[in-house]
Amino acid sequence: MAEADSTDFPIAIIGAGFAGIGAAVQLINTGIHSFTIFERASEIGGTWRDNTYPGCACDVPSHVYSFSFEQNPNWSRRFATSWEIQEYLLGVVDKHGLRDRMKLNTEIVEARFDEATGTWTLTTDGGDAFTARVVLAGVGGLVDPSHPDIEGMKAFEGDMFHTARWNHDVDLTDKRVALIGTGASAVQVVPSIAATVSSLTVFQRTPAWVVPKLDRIYPTRLRRFLTRFPFFLRASRFMKYWLSEVLGPIVFLDSPVLSKIGSHISMWNLGQQVRDPELREKLTPNFQFGGKRVLVSDDYWASFERENVELVTNPITGIERTGIRTSDGTLHEADAIVLATGFKLGLASAPFRVIGRGGRTLDDAWKQGAVAYKGMTVAGFPNWFIMMGPNTGPGHTSVLVYTEAQISHALRAIKKIMAENLKCMDVRQEVQDQYNDSIQKRMKRMVWSDCKSWYISEDGINHSLYPGFAAEYVLRTRKLHPQDYEITHF
Ligand SMILES: Cc1cc2nc3c(=O)[nH]c(=O)nc-3n(C[C@H](O)[C@H](O)[C@H](O)COP(=O)(O)OP(=O)(O)OC[C@H]3O[C@@H](n4cnc5c(N)ncnc54)[C@H](O)[C@@H]3O)c2cc1C
């Protein structure tokens, strides 16, 4: 196959998070330079640009939560903070000179496929049009904050902001803070601000299973050692990755025995951090371990033992001028409200108007829920590759293992399209359907199928997670099977 660098083969990458940046680097590594990255924000980074709340960090060890082709011996701790991950991404961008190929502050608002020319026309929010032979969509799954719809929200006179849009102009020191939510962001924020605020009231709808994080600082001598002997860095990555896979079934399989192992570990963690039996009771989940995202923290639960931290389990009935009212009639006064309420799940609908073959929109194709072949290609939308698409999220290991597999798969397709001068590669509808039937059949054996969580879309189907091991997904996507695609020549 030709390693062509063709300027008449424009490729569009949408999004400059891990997926978009990784795709760009791998295109360059393959000898393909004819791409443009479109990013709606004023800086790269995606998740790690937007989430700057106190305590924000990855919850998969950094030696695994980084690109395999850009390993970093200098992580300052086992679970790097968001700013350190953002620095890492900025470093990757600079190292590969990606800035020259990037259009920041440029949102793609529409994409339309032209069957006659085999090209996509992308329209930006500024009204410009860009033509691409192939599109790599890396627009992320956890991008747009989900704001709760609580009566009276507008009446609140203090500061109110979402964790993903942390307002650094507001100093919470010695303030009365109310925090809504007890998910992945909350477990990081709560212990990070508990000691400095005057009071912290946490509103919990559902308690989460939390397992020990075992975070630690990496001393300088270890970092020097890993820099000098990269073999050990690779070995560390290898071991941490395989450990996550080996332990994965505890988190994702619907097995009473495995779930019990998980819940025992979590209950032990709770027992270590909380002595008050009544508080422990309130913090204990009443659903199967793994049913919702399992959280990791060494100090979240312990925060509730502090005198200035209160856990409220009565449902919120409204927000008023001076605070939050709960169903028991109590008004919890606050100077600031932090919304740790997660994200709008971008998988159930198209991120913007995408018009494929025959004028069919992606929203229309996904009206029964978002589906794609191997999470990447959708019938009727040729030469369009999604990264972090439907059913490609992990519950137990790094997203990047999947993202890298998707990038490699798209690269194989791009090389084929270029080498054979193909007009379209469009996944066959029956191949896509068969694949998704098998995914949903397997889903029934997963622990997520019975619990209500953000993993499950409005149609009651899990369109988010991959029901199995990451290694298996990688193997499944390792080869491009031309027979799975309807191929059109010029
Ligand atoms: C707080 C937090 C912590 C996390 N921790 C972990 C972790 O520990 N381990 C893990 O595996 N995963 C974690 N994740 C998941 C994380 O989102 C992924 O790991 C990864 O960062 C996703 O990268 P991405 O490039 O696919 O998407 P994103 O990082 O979301 O990037 C998408 C980019 O696309 C841009 N964009 C969107 N729409 C358009 C458009 N129409 N036009 C132009 N640009 C557009 C966005 O502005 C954004 O920059 C975490 C997520 C959050 C929110």
Side-chain angles (χ1 to χ4, degrees):
M1 263 186 208
E3 291 230 332
D5 177 14
S6 167
T7 42
D8 58 9
F9 194 90
I11 297 170
I13 298 175
I14 312 176
F18 259 108
I21 293 168
V25 171
Q26 291 294 58
L27 279 167
I28 291 177
N29 289 344
T30 315
I32 300 171
H33 299 265
S34 55
F35 62 85
T36 306
I37 309 171
F38 297 90
E39 170 54 58
R40 70 181 180 186
S42 57
E43 185 50 286
I44 64 113
T47 292
W48 306 104
R49 172 200 64 228
D50 293 341
N51 290 270
T52 58
Y53 57 80
C56 184
C58 52
D59 50 22
V60 169
S62 295
H63 284 170
V64 183
Y65 192 67
S66 42
F67 292 125
S68 64
F69 45 84
E70 286 294 340
Q71 293 187 37
N72 176 19
N74 285 314
W75 294 115
S76 66
R77 54 190 317 126
R78 187 176 277 157
F79 298 90
T81 58
S82 65
W83 68 260
E84 197 175 354
I85 302 171
Q86 177 68 355
E87 292 272 297
Y88 164 82
L89 284 172
L90 286 165
V92 173
V93 164
D94 287 344
K95 179 177 164 192
H96 294 277
L98 298 183
R99 293 251 171 223
D100 299 345
R101 299 159 202 281
M102 206 174 278
K103 290 191 185 300
L104 296 172
N105 297 308
T106 308
E107 180 168 2
I108 300 301
V109 292
E110 190 187 273
R112 184 182 288 273
F113 188 67
D114 178 0
E115 291 190 55
T117 57
T119 55
W120 283 96
T121 300
L122 306 183
T123 309
T124 70
D125 52 351
D128 294 329
F130 179 89
T131 306
R133 288 291 315 284
V134 167
V135 176
L136 303 175
V139 295
L142 307 172
V143 190
D144 297 315
S146 160
H147 288 89
D149 184 15
I150 303 171
E151 208 180 302
M153 273 179 96
K154 288 210 176 96
F156 184 62
E157 287 180 351
D159 296 295
M160 191 187 313
F161 48 86
H162 192 280
T163 48
R165 300 288 181 272
W166 193 267
N167 186 346
H168 291 277
D169 294 336
V170 177
D171 182 4
L172 295 181
T173 313
D174 297 329
K175 296 262 172 66
R176 295 168 304 169
V177 178
L179 185 141
I180 303 176
T182 50
S185 301
V187 301
Q188 297 185 333
V189 179
V190 168
S192 305
I193 63 171
T196 53
V197 297
S198 90
S199 70
L200 178 59
T201 313
V202 178
F203 294 83
Q204 170 183 282
R205 197 164 55 181
T206 321
W209 289 111
V210 184
V211 295
K213 189 168 190 180
L214 308 177
D215 194 10
R216 76 178 183 98
I217 288 173
Y218 286 146
T220 314
R221 63 176 187 286
L222 174 68
R223 293 190 254 156
R224 278 209 207 106
F225 176 80
L226 295 176
T227 308
R228 198 146 166 231
F229 303 106
F231 166 79
F232 289 97
L233 178 60
R234 288 196 296 275
S236 168
R237 180 183 174 92
F238 179 85
M239 284 188 306
K240 290 186 170 88
Y241 164 68
W242 280 106
L243 185 65
S244 69
E245 288 278 61
V246 168
L247 299 178
I250 300 178
V251 176
F252 61 69
L253 266 192
D254 185 6
S255 149
V257 176
L258 291 178
S259 296
K260 205 152 247 164
I261 295 174
S263 56
H264 274 313
I265 295 169
S266 187
M267 289 308 289
W268 175 84
N269 194 25
L270 181 61
Q272 291 296 302
Q273 296 187 37
V274 178
R275 262 178 240 115
D276 174 357
E278 208 178 304
L279 184 56
R280 245 191 258 170
E281 177 79 32
K282 281 186 179 177
L283 289 166
T284 304
N286 62 359
F287 56 88
Q288 195 177 348
F289 185 85
K292 293 172 195 268
R293 192 177 167 85
V294 174
L295 308 179
V296 292
S297 175
D298 295 327
D299 48 10
Y300 168 65
W301 276 333
S303 309
F304 293 99
E305 289 263 296
R306 297 180 63 92
E307 296 238 308
N308 67 333
V309 180
E310 188 192 356
L311 179 71
V312 175
T313 52
N314 287 315
I316 294 173
T317 50
I319 295 184
E320 301 178 12
R321 213 167 45 80
T322 56
I324 299 180
R325 179 89 59 191
T326 44
S327 60
D328 59 344
T330 311
L331 177 69
H332 304 267
E333 295 208 332
D335 303 311
I337 298 177
V338 173
L339 305 172
T341 44
F343 297 86
K344 290 183 197 154
L345 203 53
L347 295 177
S349 61
F352 44 84
R353 202 168 143 77
V354 181
I355 307 148
R357 276 181 150 170
R360 190 168 184 228
T361 65
L362 192 53
D363 266 338
D364 187 35
W366 282 357
K367 55 173 198 253
Q368 309 291 340
V371 285
Y373 178 51
K374 298 184 179 172
M376 287 181 273
T377 47
V378 183
F381 300 82
N383 307 353
W384 180 281
F385 297 89
I386 309 170
M387 292 174 282
M388 223 181 137
N391 292 112
T392 63
H396 68 288
T397 190
S398 169
V399 162
L400 302 181
V401 177
Y402 298 74
T403 309
E404 285 197 21
Q406 289 149 12
I407 294 170
S408 302
H409 193 84
L411 274 179
R412 263 175 232 118
I414 289 172
K415 284 199 266 180
K416 184 173 173 66
I417 295 170
M418 287 173 85
E420 297 174 26
N421 193 26
L422 304 179
K423 192 180 193 181
C424 295
M425 268 186 80
D426 190 5
V427 67
R428 293 178 191 280
Q429 185 69 56
E430 66 275 16
V431 171
Q432 180 182 309
D433 292 345
Q434 262 168 25
Y435 175 80
N436 281 293
D437 286 350
S438 79
I439 287 287
Q440 290 307 329
K441 247 182 223 139
R442 286 171 61 168
M443 201 62 84
K444 294 198 175 82
R445 299 204 300 272
M446 302 294 132
V447 61
W448 321 302
S449 52
D450 291 335
C451 289
K452 187 174 180 292
S453 75
W454 63 265
Y455 293 152
I456 316 284
S457 305
E458 286 152 12
D459 56 2
I461 292 176
N462 188 328
H463 295 287
S464 333
L465 298 181
Y466 184 73
F469 295 98
E472 189 236 328
Y473 179 78
V474 173
L475 281 178
R476 236 175 161 174
T477 52
R478 211 168 47 145
K479 281 205 175 120
L480 182 78
H481 301 292
Q483 68 273 21
D484 293 345
Y485 292 85
E486 195 185 313
I487 289 174
T488 317
H489 294 260
F490 276 107

